[in-house]
């Protein structure tokens, strides 16, 4: 599988959203969070916990292996109208501990039955790490008005002091104690962003590292049996719809992966198949995965946000060029330290951004939405006033994201944007309508740049859709909407 590393509304609604987000009062949970942080730090100090080498051992430094099935989903912490299927890999720490109470189910692909089955990921960590992360995930507070104990969300932006104390006491928790693998991964960036910026969302996880059909179905690939492979993908697609999307009432899908012709060629070599495989046959193998894509992006009541592929072609990326009604193909761009003048509805101000940063939009034909990251492409530390923000793998620190801009990192921004706008609508969830709201077809105006062929081509190729946007400029996500970062 490649493309996993794809270096990748109504104006009234948005105006109301922005006004709400600028309310000056601190979030009512913050005082409770501060007390939890102070108590946790004091406890670590009182216990004298230090798990570094050449120090006295403490029982909290012992390694414990925690499984997904050791925890449980807590529906009181989530909204059933914000159920996100996250398709990525390397999310075990966050799945098992940090956000466990908000995860309905976890799945992996079983190549023997061509179905998606329950997964039980695990993580080996210090008992201190288990306690700190579980306490954050299960945080509760007492409502002063009613005396009731309620669940509360603790955003990473509030937890920096506790993070410093925890990491200082157990720095080895950056790695899985059993495998030695670092917890930082592609999936932790994607899932971490979604979990932080959508505090009411509930999640369903598919570990995409288990879904490598060209590798797993070696016999079909090496025998060039496209028909047999297609039947397997139809079974997988049926399971995806039946066992995951329908059972869990999925509304949103965040998918940072994808399949290209070169994936088949790579699998051919990896499987040590004899002879050679033509490009045309490799393309047909990729097209055979279409039943899976159809379920992801054509299922009624589900909006798919997909990390886009720049310069996609029908020969190399046949699945990326399909214009699914319920899919938004997302790509990043950056204006560096410059603030854009793009309006909240994305209908004005975008033309100057395109003209001043034209190279950012090369290969744009099959991209539905571009999202500004607001930091430098080479000098990452140079940011505008609202750069893309991110948390650490523990969900305990928060700051400007200096990772290389990619469509993988843009997809969770778009998913968060879509959820925030949908939450302002009073009618039911219609993914096609939500997509038209997010990307209206009102951007035919060239903004006074009458002799600019690149701009004209961008408008024409996008059929006048408002593809170039800056949702971060207006803090269009639930975390900001609910005032956690005021």
């Amino acid at each position: 599988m490649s493309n996993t590393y794809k270096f990748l509304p109504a104006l009234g609604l948005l105006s109301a959203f922005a006004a709400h987000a600028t309310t000056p009062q601190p979030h009512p949970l913050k005082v409770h969070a501060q007390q939890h942080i102070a108590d946790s730090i004091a406890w670590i100090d009182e216990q004298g916990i230090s798990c570094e080498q050449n120090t006295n051992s403490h029982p909290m430094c012992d390694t414990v292996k925690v499984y997904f099935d050791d925890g449980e989903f807590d529906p009181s912490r989530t909204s059933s109208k914000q159920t996100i299927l996250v398709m990525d890999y390397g999310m075990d720490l966050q799945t098992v501990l940090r956000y466990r109470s908000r995860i309905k189910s976890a799945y992996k692909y079983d190549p023997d039955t061509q179905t998606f089955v329950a997964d039980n990921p695990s993580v080996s960590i210090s008992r201190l790490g288990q306690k700190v992360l579980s306490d954050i995930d299960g945080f509760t507070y007492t409502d002063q008005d009613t005396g009731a104990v309620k669940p509360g969300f603790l955003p990473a932006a509030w937890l920096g002091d506790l993070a410093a104390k925890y990491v200082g006491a157990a720095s080895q928790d950056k790695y899985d104690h059993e495998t030695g693998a670092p917890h930082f991964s592609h999936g932790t960036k994607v899932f971490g962003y979604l979990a932080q910026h959508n505090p009411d969302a509930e999640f369903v996880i598919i570990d995409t590292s288990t879904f490598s059909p060209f590798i797993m179905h070696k016999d079909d690939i090496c025998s060039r049996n496209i028909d047999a492979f297609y039947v397997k993908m139809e079974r997988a697609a049926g399971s995806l719809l039946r066992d995951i999307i329908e059972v869990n009432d999925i509304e949103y899908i965040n998918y940072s992966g994808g399949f290209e012709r070169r994936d088949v060629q790579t699998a051919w070599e990896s499987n040590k198949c004899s002879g050679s495989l033509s490009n045309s046959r490799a393309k047909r193998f990729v097209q055979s995965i279409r039943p899976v894509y159809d379920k992801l992006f054509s299922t009624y009541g589900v909006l798919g946000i997909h990390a886009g592929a720049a310069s996609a072609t029908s020969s190399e990326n046949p699945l990326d060029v399909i214009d699914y009604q319920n899919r938004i193909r997302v790509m990043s761009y950056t204006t560096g330290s410059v603030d854009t003048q793009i309006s909240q509805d994305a209908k004005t101000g975008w033309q100057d951004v395109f003209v001043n940063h034209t190279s950012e939009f090369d290969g744009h034909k099959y991209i539905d939405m571009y999202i500004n990251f607001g930091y430098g492409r080479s000098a990452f530390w140079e940011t505008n006033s609202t750069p893309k923000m991110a948390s650490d793998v523990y969900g305990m620190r928060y700051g400007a994201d200096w990772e290389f801009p990619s469509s993988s990192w843009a997809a969770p921004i778009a998913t968060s944007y879509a959820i925030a706008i949908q939450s302002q609508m009073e009618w039911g969830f219609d993914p096609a309508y939500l997509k038209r709201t997010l990307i209206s077809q009102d951007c035919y105006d060239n903004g006074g740049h009458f002799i600019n062929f690149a701009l004209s081509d961008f408008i024409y190729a996008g059929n006048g859709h408002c593809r170039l946007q800056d949702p971060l400029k207006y803090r269009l996500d639930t975390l900001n909407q609910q005032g956690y970062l005021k």
Side-chain angles (χ1 to χ4, degrees):
M1 181 194 302
S2 68
N3 276 2
T4 306
Y5 288 98
K6 289 180 180 178
F7 297 116
L8 36 169
L11 179 57
L13 292 175
L14 294 178
S15 298
F17 191 178
H20 182 83
T22 56
T23 305
Q25 292 82 8
H27 195 282
L29 269 183
K30 192 161 188 179
V31 64
H32 300 284
Q34 291 170 333
Q35 187 62 55
H36 173 80
I37 293 166
D39 291 345
S40 299
I41 291 175
W43 179 81
I44 294 173
D45 286 336
E46 291 167 2
Q47 291 288 318
I49 302 172
S50 177
C51 304
E52 304 307 294
Q53 292 182 350
N54 302 320
T55 62
N56 295 326
S57 62
H58 188 283
M60 295 302 291
C61 297
D62 294 345
T63 295
V64 58
K65 190 168 186 176
V66 189
Y67 289 87
F68 179 76
D69 287 351
D70 293 333
E72 61 183 9
F73 170 62
D74 181 359
S76 70
R77 293 183 174 274
T78 65
S79 168
S80 61
K81 296 181 180 180
Q82 297 181 16
T83 309
I84 309 172
L85 171 60
V86 184
M87 301 179 64
D88 221 303
Y89 66 93
M91 300 175 283
D92 291 355
L93 177 71
Q94 296 171 337
T95 300
V96 171
L97 284 175
R98 178 58 177 93
Y99 304 110
R100 175 63 185 93
S101 67
R102 296 166 60 197
I103 302 176
K104 296 177 71 174
S105 306
Y107 297 93
K108 62 183 177 181
Y109 178 66
D110 177 12
D112 293 332
T113 61
Q114 298 96 57
T115 60
F116 291 90
V117 298
D119 195 9
N120 189 24
S122 64
V123 61
S124 293
I125 196 169
S126 71
R127 291 191 182 277
L128 176 63
Q130 179 190 25
K131 174 177 171 52
V132 169
L133 296 177
S134 295
D135 286 351
I136 293 172
D137 179 47
F139 174 72
T140 60
Y141 68 100
T142 301
D143 188 295
Q144 294 180 348
D145 294 329
T146 66
V149 177
K150 297 182 178 180
F153 172 71
L154 297 183
W158 295 354
L159 299 171
D161 291 342
L162 180 56
K165 175 60 67 174
Y166 162 49
V167 173
S171 62
Q172 73 274 22
D173 281 359
K174 296 175 184 177
Y175 307 91
D176 187 281
H177 290 199
E178 184 176 306
T179 66
H183 293 304
F184 178 82
S185 69
H186 188 279
T188 60
K189 280 185 65 66
V190 171
F191 182 33
Y193 190 96
L194 290 167
Q196 282 291 315
H197 289 83
N198 301 279
D200 297 331
E202 58 189 26
F203 298 94
V204 175
I205 305 296
I206 294 180
D207 184 350
T208 55
S209 69
T210 69
F211 187 58
S212 300
F214 303 134
I215 297 290
M216 294 172 165
H217 299 300
K218 175 180 177 179
D219 291 345
D220 294 338
I221 300 298
C222 289
S223 64
R224 306 177 183 84
N225 193 336
I226 295 174
D227 291 339
F229 182 80
Y230 182 81
V231 169
K232 290 181 172 63
M233 292 302 98
E234 283 190 312
R235 291 196 192 109
S239 175
L240 176 65
L241 177 63
R242 178 183 63 255
D243 302 326
I244 299 181
I245 294 175
E246 291 181 342
V247 166
N248 292 287
D249 297 320
I250 302 296
E251 281 100 13
Y252 302 90
I253 295 174
N254 193 104
Y255 184 30
S256 298
F259 296 94
E260 302 175 342
R261 183 195 59 79
R262 63 179 178 178
D263 296 315
V264 185
Q265 300 288 8
T266 298
W268 180 270
E269 297 174 2
S270 177
N271 289 331
K272 296 181 169 54
C273 302
S274 60
S276 61
L277 185 70
S278 67
N279 287 339
S280 61
R281 194 173 290 263
K283 174 187 173 181
R284 289 179 60 197
F285 269 115
V286 177
Q287 291 172 321
S288 296
I289 298 182
R290 179 161 183 170
V292 174
Y293 273 56
D294 288 348
K295 295 300 184 288
L296 291 175
F297 307 126
S298 288
T299 296
Y300 177 79
V302 180
L303 178 66
I305 310 294
H306 192 192
S311 302
T313 65
S314 59
S315 59
E316 298 298 312
N317 323 81
L319 300 176
D320 288 87
V321 303
I322 302 171
D323 186 17
Y324 284 107
Q325 186 180 33
N326 290 6
R327 172 171 72 170
I328 298 177
R329 295 162 294 189
V330 187
M331 180 59 68
S332 64
Y333 75 95
T334 182
T335 57
S337 59
V338 179
D339 284 328
T340 73
Q341 297 303 312
I342 298 175
S343 62
Q344 293 182 59
D345 59 8
K347 295 179 182 179
T348 62
W350 64 272
Q351 300 94 333
D352 289 342
V353 174
F354 180 91
V355 171
N356 293 333
H357 304 273
T358 301
S359 63
E360 292 285 324
F361 310 102
D362 291 341
H364 60 74
K365 185 175 181 180
Y366 296 108
I367 302 298
D368 300 309
M369 179 190 290
Y370 279 91
I371 290 179
N372 185 25
F373 277 24
Y375 55 73
R377 185 167 288 280
S378 57
F380 298 133
W381 55 89
E382 295 181 358
T383 69
N384 68 11
S385 61
T386 54
K388 178 183 182 294
M389 305 289 281
S391 62
D392 67 358
V393 296
Y394 304 117
M396 295 176 67
R397 284 182 280 204
Y398 189 74
D401 186 0
W402 293 336
E403 190 77 16
F404 191 83
S406 83
S407 62
S408 286
W409 316 150
I413 300 175
T415 301
S416 304
Y417 176 24
I419 291 172
I421 298 305
Q422 174 62 35
S423 71
Q424 303 299 302
M425 296 180 175
E426 296 181 356
W427 49 90
F429 180 61
D430 179 344
Y433 178 80
L434 179 57
K435 177 180 176 179
R436 292 194 300 271
T437 302
L438 294 169
I439 317 170
S440 62
Q441 200 170 4
D442 295 300
C443 289
Y444 287 102
D445 184 5
N446 59 17
H449 300 279
F450 297 107
I451 306 177
N452 189 301
F453 296 110
L455 176 60
S456 298
D457 179 64
F458 185 78
I459 296 171
Y460 175 79
N463 295 312
H465 286 100
C466 300
R467 298 193 286 163
L468 203 160
Q469 304 205 21
D470 197 349
L472 299 180
K473 176 182 175 70
Y474 299 100
R475 296 177 171 87
L476 298 177
D477 59 71
T478 307
L479 183 72
N480 282 285
Q481 176 188 16
Q482 294 182 352
Y484 281 97
L485 304 184
K486 287 183 288 194

